[in-house]
Amino acid sequence: MRKVPTNNQHLFYQPKDVWVGDVMPFGKDGTFYLYHQRDTRDPAPLAEGQPFGWSLATTQDFVTYQEHGTAIPRGGEDDQDQFIYAGTVYEAKGEVRAFYTGFNRNYLREGKTSQVLMQAKACSDDYATWKKTGVAVELTPQPGYDGRNWRDPFVIWDDDRKEYLLVLGTRKGDDPSKTLQTGRLVHFTSKDLEHWQFKGDFWAPGLYTMFEMPDIFKIGDWWYLVYSEYSDENKIVYRMSRDLYGPWEKPRDDAFDGRAYYAGRTAFDGSRRILSGWVPTRENDDDRANWLWGGSFMPHEVYQRPNGTLGVRPPQSIKDAFECPDAVPDIELRGDHERTECVITENAGEIFCFEADVTFRDACDFSIRAYKNLETDESYEYRFDLDANRLSFDKSPCYKWFRVMDKGLWRPVWLESGRSYHLQLIVDDNILVLYLDGTALTTRVCEKFGHSLAVTVTNGELKLSNIALAKGLREQEK
C-alpha cells in the first residue's frame, strides 16, 4: 500500500507526493539542470513500484527550483525502457545528449537482457524536451559480464587521447545472489560518439558487489573517480589519480558523507562543482528501521584541499537563504571529570542554520544535541569521539536499546587539541546535515523530542566563538 511522503522540507528539494531517486546533474552558465527519477512507491520502491522516466527541475541557488515536468518519458510495458534508470547528460558537438539505462522488469523471465544503454538528444533550448534515438547497439552487455547489472553510464572527453570515454557499472559472470564481490567499472571509447569500442575493465578492485553512478572529473593535476557502492558501507566514495586511467589511490577518508546520502554525481556550472545525492527515508518512518531507496535531493559543494583530497560544504546560496542570524555570545565549557552541557537556545525551531568556530583542549568528546527535550533530556546527538577519531550520530540517551539504527551514520575525523574548526549544522525539518571543515554527516530523523539546541564536552574544555544561529528562511521573491 502506498504511503504518501510525510516530509515537510522547505529547503531541500522533494516534489509533492513522490520521492526523488538518482539525479543526473548537468551544469551550464550558472544553472544546474537536475534530471531525476520520481518514485511513487506504489506499492513499493524502485523496480517493485510504478515505472518512471526522467523529470527535470532547474536551479541556480538550490533554494528555488523551476519545474519542467517529464523530460524523457518512460516507455510502455513491453519496451526496453519501461523504467529509465540512471545515465549521464553531457554536451558535445553543439548538442546536449544523454545515455541512459533502459530497464524492463519483465525481460528477465522472458530470457531477454533487462538493462541496456539507450540514447536521447535534447531538442529545446531549455533542455526540457528530448527525442529518443534508440538502443546504443554497440554498448550492450558484453560476453562474460552480468546483463542484469549494466547501468549508470558516464561520458567524458579525454583530451589527451582525443576521444570520448564511457564508463559504466557492471558485474563479472553469472551471480543471481549478488554476493560475489565482482563489481567493476568497464569502459568504451569513441572518436565520434557514434561508434564505440569495448576496452574491458576500467577499474575492478574486488571490493564491492556492484558500482553505481560513476563520475570522473579533474581539478588541477588530479583526476577524481566518484562512485556509489551498496555492499560495504552504502556510501558515495572516491579515488584520486594523476592519470585518467589510474592507478587510483584511496585517500585516508574516501567518502563524502555517511550512509544517509547516496547515488550522488557532480556537475560544474562554470564556478561551482556540486554533488547531487539524495537523503533516504526510513521504513515505516521509524528511526530503528532500515533505509529505503529514494527520498529528498540535497546538494554538497565539492572543493579541493591543498593536499589534493576533496571536501564538501553547503553552497553559499543555501546559507544565504536563512534569516539574519541571532547574536549568540561565546560559550566556554569545562568538565574535568564529567560531562558539562550548555543550552544554546531553548527553541531553535525546525528550520535553522547553526555555525561556530570550535576549539577543544584535553577533552575525550564533545557533541551537538538537536531537537532536545529539556524535561526528558532526550535528543538527537552528533558526537565527536576524540579518542576514537570518530564523528557519529545517535539518540541521546540511547534507551531503551537501541533507538536509532545507526549503522553507517559515522565519519572518521582527526582533530587536534587547541586547533580551531568551523562547524555548521543545517536542519530542514527531519533532515539534518553537519559539516566540520569539509567532512559532512547527513541523516533523516523520525521523531522530534523538543526544540532546544545544546552543546556538551566531556573531560576537558570546549570553546565556541563566532556563533551564528539563523532561524527560518528568508521570504523568497516571487
Side-chain angles (χ1 to χ4, degrees):
M1 181 177 181
R2 182 178 178 228
K3 190 171 185 179
V4 176
T6 57
N7 68 300
N8 187 33
Q9 260 56 67
H10 293 267
L11 183 61
F12 302 129
Y13 175 73
Q14 184 173 348
K16 181 176 173 56
D17 294 344
V18 295
W19 287 260
V20 173
D22 298 349
V23 179
M24 283 59 64
F26 172 67
K28 186 172 183 179
D29 299 332
T31 297
F32 287 87
Y33 300 78
L34 305 175
Y35 298 91
H36 60 280
Q37 302 151 349
R38 295 185 177 183
D39 191 358
T40 63
R41 293 187 183 168
D42 185 10
L46 205 54
E48 298 178 6
Q50 294 296 316
F52 47 70
W54 283 6
S55 296
L56 173 62
T58 56
T59 186
Q60 294 181 334
D61 58 9
F62 298 99
V63 179
T64 56
Y65 295 84
Q66 182 178 355
E67 297 283 357
H68 298 272
T70 300
I72 306 179
R74 73 174 185 90
E77 289 300 300
D78 298 325
D79 294 330
Q80 176 67 63
D81 58 352
Q82 176 193 39
F83 287 78
I84 298 186
Y85 278 2
T88 183
V89 176
Y90 61 97
E91 187 171 17
K93 298 184 175 182
E95 296 179 312
V96 175
R97 304 183 179 205
F99 277 111
Y100 63 88
T101 307
F103 168 72
N104 191 305
R105 60 186 169 193
N106 303 320
Y107 277 16
L108 277 177
R109 60 175 174 264
E110 297 173 3
K112 302 177 183 178
T113 301
S114 61
Q115 296 189 6
V116 171
L117 300 197
M118 305 183 73
Q119 305 171 83
K121 293 183 180 181
C123 51
S124 62
D125 292 338
D126 59 1
Y127 313 135
T129 305
W130 289 71
K131 179 181 179 181
K132 296 180 182 179
T133 58
V135 172
V137 176
E138 294 183 313
L139 299 171
T140 52
Q142 301 295 298
Y145 294 91
D146 184 359
R148 293 162 298 192
N149 292 276
W150 188 264
R151 61 179 178 270
D152 304 358
F154 177 81
V155 175
I156 189 173
W157 171 251
D158 180 354
D159 196 51
D160 291 336
R161 298 166 181 84
K162 305 302 178 185
E163 62 187 9
Y164 294 95
L165 168 68
L166 182 148
V167 298
L168 61 89
T170 186
R171 310 182 71 248
K172 192 73 172 179
D174 184 26
D175 177 29
S177 65
K178 297 184 181 180
T179 57
L180 299 179
Q181 295 178 341
T182 63
R184 61 200 57 225
L185 295 172
V186 297
H187 66 300
F188 295 79
T189 60
S190 173
K191 299 294 185 181
D192 59 7
L193 289 171
E194 304 297 336
H195 301 92
W196 294 89
Q197 183 177 0
F198 182 59
K199 294 297 184 70
D201 290 348
F202 181 77
W203 192 48
L207 293 171
Y208 316 109
T209 62
M210 182 61 182
F211 282 81
E212 295 193 307
M213 299 294 282
D215 177 18
I216 301 172
F217 56 88
K218 189 178 185 182
I219 302 177
D221 296 329
W222 286 101
W223 285 98
Y224 298 95
L225 170 62
V226 177
Y227 57 92
S228 296
E229 58 80 19
Y230 57 67
S231 57
D232 184 21
E233 294 183 337
N234 281 85
K235 292 181 178 179
I236 307 170
V237 293
Y238 76 97
R239 297 292 188 267
M240 48 197 297
S241 174
R242 298 288 188 177
D243 187 87
L244 176 57
Y245 282 83
W248 295 103
E249 303 175 17
K250 179 186 180 300
R252 182 162 67 159
D253 177 10
D254 66 343
F256 293 98
D257 206 316
R259 168 65 181 88
Y261 187 72
Y262 194 69
R265 271 214 179 119
T266 72
F268 186 68
D269 71 337
S271 61
R272 300 166 293 174
R273 181 164 294 276
I274 301 295
L275 179 65
S276 299
W278 45 261
V279 183
T281 58
R282 298 275 196 181
E283 287 183 280
N284 302 315
D285 291 328
D286 184 348
D287 282 330
R288 294 163 291 186
N290 210 340
W291 300 102
L292 291 171
W293 184 89
S296 307
F297 164 78
M298 193 187 76
H300 287 313
E301 183 175 353
V302 178
Y303 68 94
Q304 186 185 61
R305 298 185 178 101
N307 65 358
T309 62
L310 299 177
V312 293
R313 59 195 174 203
Q316 183 63 42
S317 53
I318 284 183
K319 292 171 56 179
D320 293 342
F322 284 90
E323 291 284 0
C324 291
D326 296 334
V328 181
D330 290 356
I331 296 173
E332 295 189 31
L333 293 176
R334 183 182 181 93
D336 290 329
H337 304 288
E338 66 280 330
R339 182 174 74 170
T340 302
E341 178 170 299
C342 174
V343 175
I344 298 168
T345 177
E346 293 187 0
N347 186 13
E350 298 185 358
I351 302 173
F352 65 87
C353 178
F354 171 75
E355 292 191 70
D357 292 327
V358 178
T359 306
F360 66 88
R361 295 185 185 278
D362 303 321
C364 66
D365 70 58
F366 66 91
S367 73
I368 301 294
R369 302 182 70 187
Y371 283 129
K372 176 180 169 67
N373 186 306
L374 294 178
E375 294 183 1
T376 66
D377 197 39
E378 293 177 289
S379 74
Y380 292 107
E381 183 178 52
Y382 282 101
R383 177 176 293 180
F384 293 86
D385 186 332
L386 303 170
D387 294 330
N389 298 318
R390 182 182 178 100
L391 163 63
S392 62
F393 179 86
D394 207 339
K395 180 184 177 291
S396 177
C398 197
Y399 176 84
K400 299 177 179 179
W401 181 261
F402 64 103
R403 298 299 299 274
V404 172
M405 200 286 282
D406 62 346
K407 182 176 173 60
L409 293 183
W410 68 277
R411 298 297 314 282
V413 291
W414 296 272
L415 308 182
E416 300 175 11
S417 178
R419 178 179 168 184
S420 178
Y421 299 90
H422 190 62
L423 182 146
Q424 300 164 288
L425 174 64
I426 295 175
V427 174
D428 182 15
D429 188 53
N430 55 14
I431 294 178
L432 290 70
V433 53
L434 183 141
Y435 298 89
L436 186 87
D437 283 8
T439 296
L441 183 57
T442 300
T443 189
R444 190 193 294 268
V445 300
C446 302
E447 299 181 60
K448 296 167 186 171
F449 310 103
H451 289 91
S452 296
L453 180 69
V455 61
T456 78
V457 67
T458 307
N459 294 357
E461 300 178 11
L462 181 72
K463 180 178 180 179
L464 274 64
S465 58
N466 300 316
I467 303 172
L469 176 61
K471 303 177 184 178
L473 300 177
R474 301 175 187 269
E475 186 174 351
Q476 299 297 315
E477 296 182 3
K478 299 295 184 180

